């Protein structure tokens, strides 16, 4: 099966659409654009394929009701716009899908929902049940309460994480450009890249913000990062224009990113891609050799420094003596507990402190 066939036949298929593909230049939702997207997704659903929609647009949809003429820059107003706009967005989706006799379900996620194991299981259970009931899940980042995420337009990355969550064979990223170009597509020397087999094919690409109406917060760089995440776990990615959504769902047009790896354990996937380190542990050369070479757990004897204020269960980065990041893991101790343990052999510690600082099952090499 070719990569484009994988997109055509995928079930479930995750589809992500950006703000600029749903809104007018004035900032409000464009009913014609939204209906065109829904018509294509409904056709896919009628053909027997499950679809999961990751949709931006909450902040943009909230501008007009709040009397704002442009995307606000301060976080509090962004959150307020998202709170108002999310209701407008989902109401409009529900009405549009209802024309096809389809029910939608709203799922709002933050990065924490994909980092915390219990939250992750709950999200998976909810999405599985929605799909089993024939509902079209509409996922958005919970911008009304998000902080750092709201500034970086992480819905591209969120879509890649969701594709792994629901075991989707393919992910379609819909944008206001019809694929990946070697430079800004408005420039005369721009050339579309139709196939990406790995980072080597990205050598000529000067990624950045391209086109758009200025209502979104992402750019081409975030789409490339999302494609890297998804393809590393065996998911095919197609980047295409929202205006050509029908062609895209059939696997035609745009830029296709071929899988570069195989699906691995969900726990390690989330640890690698969905966590934000709360601190750092600096290792000596012997500990680096054990963790990297022998895939061993990290013990107190190999740690030379502790940085940050973290709690047991938080993700931390593991650094080598040269300060290079070598791994990420879930730490078993609070930061305040570790200094007295550093450099000490397990046999010299009391029973309460002999467990690994980071167990190998909770550690991923970077």
């Amino acid at each position: 099966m070719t990569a484009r066939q994988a997109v055509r036949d995928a079930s479930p298929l995750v589809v992500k659409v950006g703000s600029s593909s749903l809104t007018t230049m004035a900032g409000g939702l464009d009913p014609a654009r939204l209906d065109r997207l829904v018509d294509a997704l409904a056709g896919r659903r009628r053909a027997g394929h499950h679809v999961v929609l990751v949709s931006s647009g909450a902040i943009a949809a909230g501008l007009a009701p709040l009397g704002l003429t442009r995307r606000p820059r301060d976080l509090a107003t962004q959150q307020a716009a998202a709170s108002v706009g999310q209701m407008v967005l989902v109401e409009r989706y529900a009405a549009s899908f209802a024309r096809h006799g389809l029910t939608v379900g709203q799922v709002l996620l933050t990065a924490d929902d994909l980092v915390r194991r219990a939250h992750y299981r709950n999200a998976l259970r909810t999405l599985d049940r929605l799909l089993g009931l024939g509902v079209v899940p509409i996922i958005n980042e919970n911008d009304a309460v998000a902080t750092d995420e709201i500034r970086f337009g992480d819905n591209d990355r969120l879509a890649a994480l969701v594709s792994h969550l629901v075991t989707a064979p393919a992910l379609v990223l819909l944008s206001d450009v019809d694929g990946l170009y070697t430079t800004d597509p408005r420039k005369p020397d721009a050339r579309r890249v139709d196939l990406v087999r790995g980072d080597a094919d990205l050598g000529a690409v000067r990624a950045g913000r391209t086109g758009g109406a200025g209502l979104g917060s992402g750019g081409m760089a975030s789409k490339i990062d999302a494609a890297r995440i998804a393809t590393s776990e065996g998911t095919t990615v197609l980047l295409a224009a929202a205006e050509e959504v029908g062609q895209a769902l059939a696997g035609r047009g745009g830029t296709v990113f071929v899988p570069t790896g195989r699906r691995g354990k969900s726990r390690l996937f989330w640890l690698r891609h969905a966590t934000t380190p709360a601190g750092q542990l600096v290792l000596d050369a012997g500990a680096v050799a054990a963790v990297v070479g022998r895939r061993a757990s990290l013990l107190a004897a190999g740690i030379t420094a502790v940085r940050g204020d973290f709690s047991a269960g938080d993700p931390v980065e593991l650094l080598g003596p040269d300060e290079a990041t070598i791994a990420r893991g879930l730490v078993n101790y609070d930061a305040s507990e570790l200094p007295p343990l550093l450099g000490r052999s397990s046999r010299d510690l009391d029973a309460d402190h002999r467990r690994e600082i980071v167990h190998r099952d909770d550690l991923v090499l970077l």
Side-chain angles (χ1 to χ4, degrees):
M1 178 184 296
T2 68
R4 292 186 180 277
Q5 288 173 330
V7 175
R8 182 194 65 196
D9 299 336
S11 183
L13 175 70
V14 176
V15 177
K16 184 267 176 181
V17 64
S19 298
S20 59
S21 300
L22 294 173
T23 52
T24 66
M25 291 296 292
L29 285 177
D30 186 325
R33 285 183 166 190
L34 189 144
D35 285 345
R36 181 167 54 247
L37 170 65
V38 168
D39 289 346
L41 296 179
R44 180 90 176 195
R45 188 68 193 88
R46 283 196 302 271
H49 299 273
H50 289 297
V51 176
V52 177
L53 176 61
V54 178
S55 177
S56 300
I59 295 177
L63 299 184
L66 293 177
L68 302 174
T69 58
R70 64 180 64 183
R71 182 185 175 96
R73 296 191 177 187
D74 67 290
L75 180 60
T77 309
Q78 288 179 9
Q79 291 173 323
S83 178
V84 172
Q86 188 62 43
M87 297 179 64
V88 176
L89 183 66
V90 173
E91 180 182 16
R92 189 66 188 84
Y93 270 128
S96 190
F97 273 104
R99 296 179 298 122
H100 300 277
L102 293 172
T103 301
V104 303
Q106 176 180 253
V107 180
L108 296 178
L109 298 173
T110 64
D112 196 54
D113 294 318
L114 302 181
V115 172
R116 303 292 179 181
R117 188 65 177 170
H119 293 199
Y120 156 70
R121 287 198 299 265
N122 288 337
L124 175 59
R125 188 161 45 241
T126 298
L127 289 170
D128 279 347
R129 190 64 184 127
L130 287 172
L131 292 173
L133 291 169
V135 174
V136 178
I138 299 178
I139 299 174
N140 196 356
E141 193 165 19
N142 196 354
D143 288 343
V145 298
T147 53
D148 288 341
E149 301 92 337
I150 203 171
R151 302 190 196 113
F152 295 105
D154 256 7
N155 267 353
D156 292 314
R157 180 167 170 260
L158 176 61
L161 300 179
V162 167
S163 69
H164 188 276
L165 180 67
V166 300
T167 322
L171 163 66
V172 174
L173 299 174
L174 296 175
S175 179
D176 52 357
V177 292
D178 64 347
L180 176 65
Y181 281 78
T182 52
T183 187
D184 189 322
R186 293 170 294 192
K187 294 182 178 180
D189 61 337
R191 179 178 56 83
R192 193 175 78 182
V193 179
D194 293 330
L195 178 66
V196 177
R197 290 157 296 194
D199 283 350
D201 291 336
L202 296 173
V205 175
R206 299 190 296 276
R209 303 179 77 87
T210 56
L215 292 169
S217 57
M220 194 56 67
S222 72
K223 291 170 177 56
I224 292 174
D225 288 342
R228 281 195 179 106
I229 292 172
T231 56
S232 71
E233 293 290 319
T235 299
T236 300
V237 177
L238 178 65
L239 171 61
E243 297 287 334
E244 301 170 358
V245 58
Q247 295 277 0
L249 297 188
R252 296 192 292 269
T255 299
V256 65
F257 294 77
V258 176
T260 58
R262 295 182 178 180
R263 181 180 172 87
K265 293 181 178 179
S266 294
R267 186 174 183 79
L268 299 184
F269 175 83
W270 297 117
L271 186 57
R272 179 189 299 274
H273 295 295
T275 55
T276 300
Q280 297 176 326
L281 303 178
V282 183
L283 283 54
D284 62 26
V288 171
V291 169
V292 176
R294 302 197 302 273
R295 301 296 177 93
S297 298
L298 175 62
L299 305 179
I303 304 175
T304 60
V306 177
R307 299 170 183 166
D309 182 17
F310 50 82
S311 302
D314 283 345
V316 295
E317 284 187 324
L318 308 187
L319 309 183
D322 59 356
E323 298 289 316
T325 302
I326 63 166
R328 185 176 298 171
L330 302 179
V331 66
N332 286 322
Y333 296 84
D334 295 346
S336 59
E337 296 180 272
L338 289 179
L341 309 182
L342 301 191
R344 299 177 62 184
S345 171
S346 297
R347 61 176 175 270
D348 297 330
L349 300 174
D350 61 64
D352 291 337
H353 296 95
R354 288 177 184 167
R355 67 187 184 278
E356 303 87 348
I357 306 302
V358 178
H359 193 277
R360 64 183 182 183
D361 290 343
D362 294 329
L363 187 152
V364 61
L365 301 180
L366 300 177

PDB file of all heavy atoms in Angstrom, residues 145-167:
ATOM      1  N   VAL A 145      -8.159  27.593  29.354  1.00  0.00           N
ATOM      2  CA  VAL A 145      -7.369  27.395  30.569  1.00  0.00           C
ATOM      3  C   VAL A 145      -5.905  27.123  30.278  1.00  0.00           C
ATOM      4  O   VAL A 145      -5.087  27.075  31.182  1.00  0.00           O
ATOM      5  CB  VAL A 145      -7.938  26.241  31.429  1.00  0.00           C
ATOM      6  CG1 VAL A 145      -9.344  26.561  31.881  1.00  0.00           C
ATOM      7  CG2 VAL A 145      -7.906  24.917  30.666  1.00  0.00           C
ATOM      8  N   ALA A 146      -5.551  26.928  28.991  1.00  0.00           N
ATOM      9  CA  ALA A 146      -4.162  26.649  28.651  1.00  0.00           C
ATOM     10  C   ALA A 146      -3.311  27.891  28.855  1.00  0.00           C
ATOM     11  O   ALA A 146      -3.797  29.012  28.803  1.00  0.00           O
ATOM     12  CB  ALA A 146      -4.058  26.180  27.197  1.00  0.00           C
ATOM     13  N   THR A 147      -2.012  27.681  29.069  1.00  0.00           N
ATOM     14  CA  THR A 147      -1.106  28.812  29.279  1.00  0.00           C
ATOM     15  C   THR A 147      -0.065  28.850  28.164  1.00  0.00           C
ATOM     16  O   THR A 147      -0.258  29.484  27.149  1.00  0.00           O
ATOM     17  CB  THR A 147      -0.442  28.716  30.657  1.00  0.00           C
ATOM     18  OG1 THR A 147       0.163  27.423  30.797  1.00  0.00           O
ATOM     19  CG2 THR A 147      -1.467  28.917  31.756  1.00  0.00           C
ATOM     20  N   ASP A 148       1.040  28.139  28.334  1.00  0.00           N
ATOM     21  CA  ASP A 148       2.084  28.156  27.309  1.00  0.00           C
ATOM     22  C   ASP A 148       1.554  27.656  25.976  1.00  0.00           C
ATOM     23  O   ASP A 148       1.881  28.191  24.919  1.00  0.00           O
ATOM     24  CB  ASP A 148       3.275  27.280  27.725  1.00  0.00           C
ATOM     25  CG  ASP A 148       4.071  27.918  28.843  1.00  0.00           C
ATOM     26  OD1 ASP A 148       3.943  29.144  29.042  1.00  0.00           O
ATOM     27  OD2 ASP A 148       4.816  27.186  29.520  1.00  0.00           O
ATOM     28  N   GLU A 149       0.691  26.611  26.021  1.00  0.00           N
ATOM     29  CA  GLU A 149       0.219  26.012  24.783  1.00  0.00           C
ATOM     30  C   GLU A 149      -0.529  27.012  23.906  1.00  0.00           C
ATOM     31  O   GLU A 149      -0.489  26.946  22.689  1.00  0.00           O
ATOM     32  CB  GLU A 149      -0.712  24.822  25.087  1.00  0.00           C
ATOM     33  CG  GLU A 149      -0.070  23.723  25.912  1.00  0.00           C
ATOM     34  CD  GLU A 149      -0.303  23.925  27.393  1.00  0.00           C
ATOM     35  OE1 GLU A 149      -0.550  25.055  27.806  1.00  0.00           O
ATOM     36  OE2 GLU A 149      -0.219  22.949  28.154  1.00  0.00           O
ATOM     37  N   ILE A 150      -1.226  27.946  24.538  1.00  0.00           N
ATOM     38  CA  ILE A 150      -2.068  28.863  23.786  1.00  0.00           C
ATOM     39  C   ILE A 150      -1.220  29.789  22.911  1.00  0.00           C
ATOM     40  O   ILE A 150      -1.698  30.349  21.936  1.00  0.00           O
ATOM     41  CB  ILE A 150      -2.953  29.674  24.760  1.00  0.00           C
ATOM     42  CG1 ILE A 150      -4.199  30.198  24.054  1.00  0.00           C
ATOM     43  CG2 ILE A 150      -2.192  30.818  25.386  1.00  0.00           C
ATOM     44  CD1 ILE A 150      -5.196  30.814  24.993  1.00  0.00           C
ATOM     45  N   ARG A 151       0.050  29.948  23.257  1.00  0.00           N
ATOM     46  CA  ARG A 151       0.900  30.882  22.528  1.00  0.00           C
ATOM     47  C   ARG A 151       1.584  30.242  21.332  1.00  0.00           C
ATOM     48  O   ARG A 151       2.110  30.926  20.475  1.00  0.00           O
ATOM     49  CB  ARG A 151       1.978  31.435  23.462  1.00  0.00           C
ATOM     50  CG  ARG A 151       1.434  32.141  24.690  1.00  0.00           C
ATOM     51  CD  ARG A 151       2.546  32.867  25.424  1.00  0.00           C
ATOM     52  NE  ARG A 151       2.126  33.217  26.779  1.00  0.00           N
ATOM     53  CZ  ARG A 151       2.657  32.684  27.863  1.00  0.00           C
ATOM     54  NH1 ARG A 151       3.629  31.810  27.767  1.00  0.00           N
ATOM     55  NH2 ARG A 151       2.229  33.036  29.040  1.00  0.00           N
ATOM     56  N   PHE A 152       1.605  28.933  21.279  1.00  0.00           N
ATOM     57  CA  PHE A 152       2.414  28.269  20.271  1.00  0.00           C
ATOM     58  C   PHE A 152       1.605  27.542  19.196  1.00  0.00           C
ATOM     59  O   PHE A 152       2.172  26.879  18.344  1.00  0.00           O
ATOM     60  CB  PHE A 152       3.371  27.280  20.936  1.00  0.00           C
ATOM     61  CG  PHE A 152       4.380  27.960  21.809  1.00  0.00           C
ATOM     62  CD1 PHE A 152       4.259  27.914  23.183  1.00  0.00           C
ATOM     63  CD2 PHE A 152       5.419  28.671  21.261  1.00  0.00           C
ATOM     64  CE1 PHE A 152       5.184  28.542  23.993  1.00  0.00           C
ATOM     65  CE2 PHE A 152       6.356  29.308  22.067  1.00  0.00           C
ATOM     66  CZ  PHE A 152       6.232  29.243  23.440  1.00  0.00           C
ATOM     67  N   GLY A 153       0.298  27.659  19.210  1.00  0.00           N
ATOM     68  CA  GLY A 153      -0.506  27.036  18.163  1.00  0.00           C
ATOM     69  C   GLY A 153      -0.290  25.555  18.079  1.00  0.00           C
ATOM     70  O   GLY A 153      -0.040  25.005  17.008  1.00  0.00           O
ATOM     71  N   ASP A 154      -0.391  24.890  19.232  1.00  0.00           N
ATOM     72  CA  ASP A 154      -0.003  23.492  19.310  1.00  0.00           C
ATOM     73  C   ASP A 154      -1.031  22.526  18.751  1.00  0.00           C
ATOM     74  O   ASP A 154      -0.908  21.332  18.972  1.00  0.00           O
ATOM     75  CB  ASP A 154       0.299  23.104  20.762  1.00  0.00           C
ATOM     76  CG  ASP A 154       1.801  22.991  21.009  1.00  0.00           C
ATOM     77  OD1 ASP A 154       2.588  23.335  20.118  1.00  0.00           O
ATOM     78  OD2 ASP A 154       2.170  22.540  22.092  1.00  0.00           O
ATOM     79  N   ASN A 155      -2.078  22.998  18.066  1.00  0.00           N
ATOM     80  CA  ASN A 155      -3.055  22.050  17.539  1.00  0.00           C
ATOM     81  C   ASN A 155      -2.467  21.141  16.465  1.00  0.00           C
ATOM     82  O   ASN A 155      -2.957  20.032  16.262  1.00  0.00           O
ATOM     83  CB  ASN A 155      -4.295  22.779  17.004  1.00  0.00           C
ATOM     84  CG  ASN A 155      -5.378  22.896  18.061  1.00  0.00           C
ATOM     85  OD1 ASN A 155      -5.266  22.334  19.140  1.00  0.00           O
ATOM     86  ND2 ASN A 155      -6.437  23.614  17.751  1.00  0.00           N
ATOM     87  N   ASP A 156      -1.438  21.574  15.760  1.00  0.00           N
ATOM     88  CA  ASP A 156      -0.756  20.661  14.832  1.00  0.00           C
ATOM     89  C   ASP A 156      -0.129  19.517  15.616  1.00  0.00           C
ATOM     90  O   ASP A 156      -0.291  18.347  15.273  1.00  0.00           O
ATOM     91  CB  ASP A 156       0.331  21.414  14.038  1.00  0.00           C
ATOM     92  CG  ASP A 156      -0.251  22.417  13.064  1.00  0.00           C
ATOM     93  OD1 ASP A 156      -1.203  22.055  12.348  1.00  0.00           O
ATOM     94  OD2 ASP A 156       0.230  23.557  13.026  1.00  0.00           O
ATOM     95  N   ARG A 157       0.588  19.870  16.656  1.00  0.00           N
ATOM     96  CA  ARG A 157       1.220  18.852  17.506  1.00  0.00           C
ATOM     97  C   ARG A 157       0.160  18.005  18.209  1.00  0.00           C
ATOM     98  O   ARG A 157       0.300  16.789  18.320  1.00  0.00           O
ATOM     99  CB  ARG A 157       2.116  19.553  18.523  1.00  0.00           C
ATOM    100  CG  ARG A 157       2.845  18.633  19.493  1.00  0.00           C
ATOM    101  CD  ARG A 157       3.926  19.425  20.216  1.00  0.00           C
ATOM    102  NE  ARG A 157       4.504  18.687  21.316  1.00  0.00           N
ATOM    103  CZ  ARG A 157       4.172  18.870  22.579  1.00  0.00           C
ATOM    104  NH1 ARG A 157       3.230  19.752  22.895  1.00  0.00           N
ATOM    105  NH2 ARG A 157       4.747  18.178  23.533  1.00  0.00           N
ATOM    106  N   LEU A 158      -0.900  18.666  18.673  1.00  0.00           N
ATOM    107  CA  LEU A 158      -1.986  17.931  19.323  1.00  0.00           C
ATOM    108  C   LEU A 158      -2.577  16.896  18.379  1.00  0.00           C
ATOM    109  O   LEU A 158      -2.867  15.765  18.778  1.00  0.00           O
ATOM    110  CB  LEU A 158      -3.071  18.909  19.781  1.00  0.00           C
ATOM    111  CG  LEU A 158      -4.327  18.293  20.394  1.00  0.00           C
ATOM    112  CD1 LEU A 158      -3.987  17.491  21.641  1.00  0.00           C
ATOM    113  CD2 LEU A 158      -5.344  19.382  20.721  1.00  0.00           C
ATOM    114  N   ALA A 159      -2.735  17.252  17.104  1.00  0.00           N
ATOM    115  CA  ALA A 159      -3.288  16.313  16.130  1.00  0.00           C
ATOM    116  C   ALA A 159      -2.375  15.104  15.964  1.00  0.00           C
ATOM    117  O   ALA A 159      -2.852  13.967  15.825  1.00  0.00           O
ATOM    118  CB  ALA A 159      -3.481  17.003  14.781  1.00  0.00           C
ATOM    119  N   ALA A 160      -1.059  15.324  15.987  1.00  0.00           N
ATOM    120  CA  ALA A 160      -0.124  14.206  15.887  1.00  0.00           C
ATOM    121  C   ALA A 160      -0.238  13.294  17.104  1.00  0.00           C
ATOM    122  O   ALA A 160      -0.210  12.062  16.982  1.00  0.00           O
ATOM    123  CB  ALA A 160       1.306  14.729  15.743  1.00  0.00           C
ATOM    124  N   LEU A 161      -0.397  13.885  18.276  1.00  0.00           N
ATOM    125  CA  LEU A 161      -0.544  13.088  19.491  1.00  0.00           C
ATOM    126  C   LEU A 161      -1.861  12.316  19.481  1.00  0.00           C
ATOM    127  O   LEU A 161      -1.925  11.157  19.891  1.00  0.00           O
ATOM    128  CB  LEU A 161      -0.470  13.993  20.717  1.00  0.00           C
ATOM    129  CG  LEU A 161       0.824  14.792  20.896  1.00  0.00           C
ATOM    130  CD1 LEU A 161       0.745  15.671  22.142  1.00  0.00           C
ATOM    131  CD2 LEU A 161       2.029  13.878  20.970  1.00  0.00           C
ATOM    132  N   VAL A 162      -2.917  12.964  19.004  1.00  0.00           N
ATOM    133  CA  VAL A 162      -4.226  12.296  18.928  1.00  0.00           C
ATOM    134  C   VAL A 162      -4.183  11.137  17.944  1.00  0.00           C
ATOM    135  O   VAL A 162      -4.795  10.091  18.175  1.00  0.00           O
ATOM    136  CB  VAL A 162      -5.325  13.309  18.544  1.00  0.00           C
ATOM    137  CG1 VAL A 162      -6.620  12.604  18.152  1.00  0.00           C
ATOM    138  CG2 VAL A 162      -5.575  14.270  19.693  1.00  0.00           C
ATOM    139  N   SER A 163      -3.448  11.297  16.839  1.00  0.00           N
ATOM    140  CA  SER A 163      -3.371  10.210  15.860  1.00  0.00           C
ATOM    141  C   SER A 163      -2.761   8.968  16.487  1.00  0.00           C
ATOM    142  O   SER A 163      -3.154   7.841  16.165  1.00  0.00           O
ATOM    143  CB  SER A 163      -2.568  10.649  14.628  1.00  0.00           C
ATOM    144  OG  SER A 163      -1.193  10.829  14.936  1.00  0.00           O
ATOM    145  N   HIS A 164      -1.814   9.155  17.398  1.00  0.00           N
ATOM    146  CA  HIS A 164      -1.243   8.007  18.108  1.00  0.00           C
ATOM    147  C   HIS A 164      -2.234   7.474  19.133  1.00  0.00           C
ATOM    148  O   HIS A 164      -2.389   6.259  19.301  1.00  0.00           O
ATOM    149  CB  HIS A 164       0.058   8.419  18.792  1.00  0.00           C
ATOM    150  CG  HIS A 164       0.824   7.274  19.384  1.00  0.00           C
ATOM    151  ND1 HIS A 164       0.555   6.764  20.634  1.00  0.00           N
ATOM    152  CD2 HIS A 164       1.849   6.526  18.889  1.00  0.00           C
ATOM    153  CE1 HIS A 164       1.388   5.763  20.882  1.00  0.00           C
ATOM    154  NE2 HIS A 164       2.165   5.592  19.843  1.00  0.00           N
ATOM    155  N   LEU A 165      -2.929   8.375  19.799  1.00  0.00           N
ATOM    156  CA  LEU A 165      -3.892   7.993  20.829  1.00  0.00           C
ATOM    157  C   LEU A 165      -4.969   7.069  20.276  1.00  0.00           C
ATOM    158  O   LEU A 165      -5.326   6.060  20.897  1.00  0.00           O
ATOM    159  CB  LEU A 165      -4.531   9.257  21.424  1.00  0.00           C
ATOM    160  CG  LEU A 165      -5.572   9.074  22.524  1.00  0.00           C
ATOM    161  CD1 LEU A 165      -4.929   8.508  23.774  1.00  0.00           C
ATOM    162  CD2 LEU A 165      -6.241  10.409  22.831  1.00  0.00           C
ATOM    163  N   VAL A 166      -5.492   7.377  19.087  1.00  0.00           N
ATOM    164  CA  VAL A 166      -6.594   6.596  18.516  1.00  0.00           C
ATOM    165  C   VAL A 166      -6.105   5.555  17.506  1.00  0.00           C
ATOM    166  O   VAL A 166      -6.911   4.943  16.814  1.00  0.00           O
ATOM    167  CB  VAL A 166      -7.655   7.509  17.859  1.00  0.00           C
ATOM    168  CG1 VAL A 166      -8.239   8.461  18.888  1.00  0.00           C
ATOM    169  CG2 VAL A 166      -7.064   8.277  16.686  1.00  0.00           C
ATOM    170  N   THR A 167      -4.789   5.378  17.422  1.00  0.00           N
ATOM    171  CA  THR A 167      -4.177   4.404  16.500  1.00  0.00           C
ATOM    172  C   THR A 167      -4.614   4.658  15.064  1.00  0.00           C
ATOM    173  O   THR A 167      -5.038   3.752  14.345  1.00  0.00           O
ATOM    174  CB  THR A 167      -4.525   2.954  16.910  1.00  0.00           C
ATOM    175  OG1 THR A 167      -4.533   2.839  18.324  1.00  0.00           O
ATOM    176  CG2 THR A 167      -3.489   1.974  16.359  1.00  0.00           C
TER     177      THR A 167
END
